[in-house]
Amino acid sequence: MILLYRLQDSRIGRAWNAIREDELAAAANGINTVTTKLLAFSLGATTSGLAGVFNASKLTIVSPDQFLFTVSFTVLAMVILGGMGNIWGVAIGAFIVYNIQVVFLKSINGVIETLGIPAFDLGPVHVNLAKVPFVDYQFLLYGVALVLMMLLRPEGLFPNQRRRQELHIAEEFEDGEPPGEIAGAMGAAPGAAADIGGTP
């Protein structure tokens, strides 16, 4: 985690951010976009290789059925829940999703039985929560949670400050306060000179 934080604030990390925001502008400012992107791919492959070695040494076996679509979906849920762009947020999201998957969903039926929640009817459907296999529906619950996150809090629980501003820029316009990034010279909004008879 410390290495990732140091890398994020380093020269190469700022170059990655510049390419992500505007590749043409980054190239115009002297950043070699080809080698910088290749370095990002190589570091990502190195990190994945280290994680794969640790996973293989722990499980003592590696097979293709361990890396199905459900694994990618779970990782996506961890990233979106924690907050994109925030290293600690993604780590917390991974911790939350892991505990939901391994602990909460497996024990929720016992909790319902302990609380004595009775069965009920939803029209013609009889629902008994104590007998619902929540583990079998975990990816359905992940999908519902992702949709709710995109609607209610698209930046995640612990987002990066820049990511939060990007996703809420429309709300700042509705409040009548243009963000500082698009403000013109001397702090005036673009086009303000035309309102007083000047040239824009």
Side-chain angles (χ1 to χ4, degrees):
M1 301 293 287
I2 296 175
L3 175 63
L4 292 177
Y5 257 111
R6 297 291 296 174
L7 186 62
Q8 186 179 25
D9 295 330
S10 66
R11 179 179 179 181
I12 186 65
R14 293 194 300 270
W16 286 337
N17 286 330
I19 293 175
R20 183 194 65 181
E21 297 296 334
D22 194 328
E23 184 174 350
L24 183 61
N29 281 276
I31 297 176
N32 191 331
T33 58
V34 176
T35 57
T36 305
K37 288 190 288 187
L38 287 176
L39 181 59
F41 286 126
S42 61
L43 285 176
T46 302
T47 306
S48 301
L50 291 174
V53 169
F54 178 78
N55 182 65
S57 63
K58 180 180 179 182
L59 301 179
T60 68
I61 186 173
V62 177
S63 61
D65 58 353
Q66 295 176 351
F67 306 98
L68 301 176
F69 172 75
T70 54
V71 177
S72 300
F73 188 80
T74 303
V75 174
L76 177 65
M78 293 175 179
V79 173
I80 293 180
L81 178 65
M84 290 176 287
N86 188 353
I87 299 173
W88 288 106
V90 174
I92 295 174
F95 177 78
I96 293 173
V97 172
Y98 174 80
N99 280 276
I100 290 175
Q101 186 177 16
V102 176
V103 179
F104 179 73
L105 291 179
K106 292 183 178 180
S107 61
I108 188 172
N109 294 101
V111 173
I112 292 174
E113 292 179 357
T114 303
L115 296 177
I117 299 177
F120 55 92
D121 294 324
L122 290 176
V125 180
H126 182 74
V127 179
N128 187 358
L129 294 178
K131 295 183 178 181
V132 175
F134 289 98
V135 177
D136 296 339
Y137 298 116
Q138 59 178 320
F139 295 105
L140 174 63
L141 298 176
Y142 286 166
V144 173
L146 290 179
V147 171
L148 293 177
M149 287 293 296
M150 290 295 99
L151 293 176
L152 303 177
R153 193 175 175 84
E155 68 272 19
L157 296 178
F158 307 98
N160 185 300
Q161 188 65 26
R162 177 181 296 177
R163 182 68 176 172
R164 185 201 301 268
Q165 293 175 355
E166 290 174 355
L167 293 174
H168 291 282
I169 188 171
E171 298 177 3
E172 297 182 9
F173 273 114
E174 292 176 359
D175 295 338
E177 298 180 0
E181 288 80 5
I182 62 173
M186 302 294 291
D195 296 336
I196 58 175
T199 56

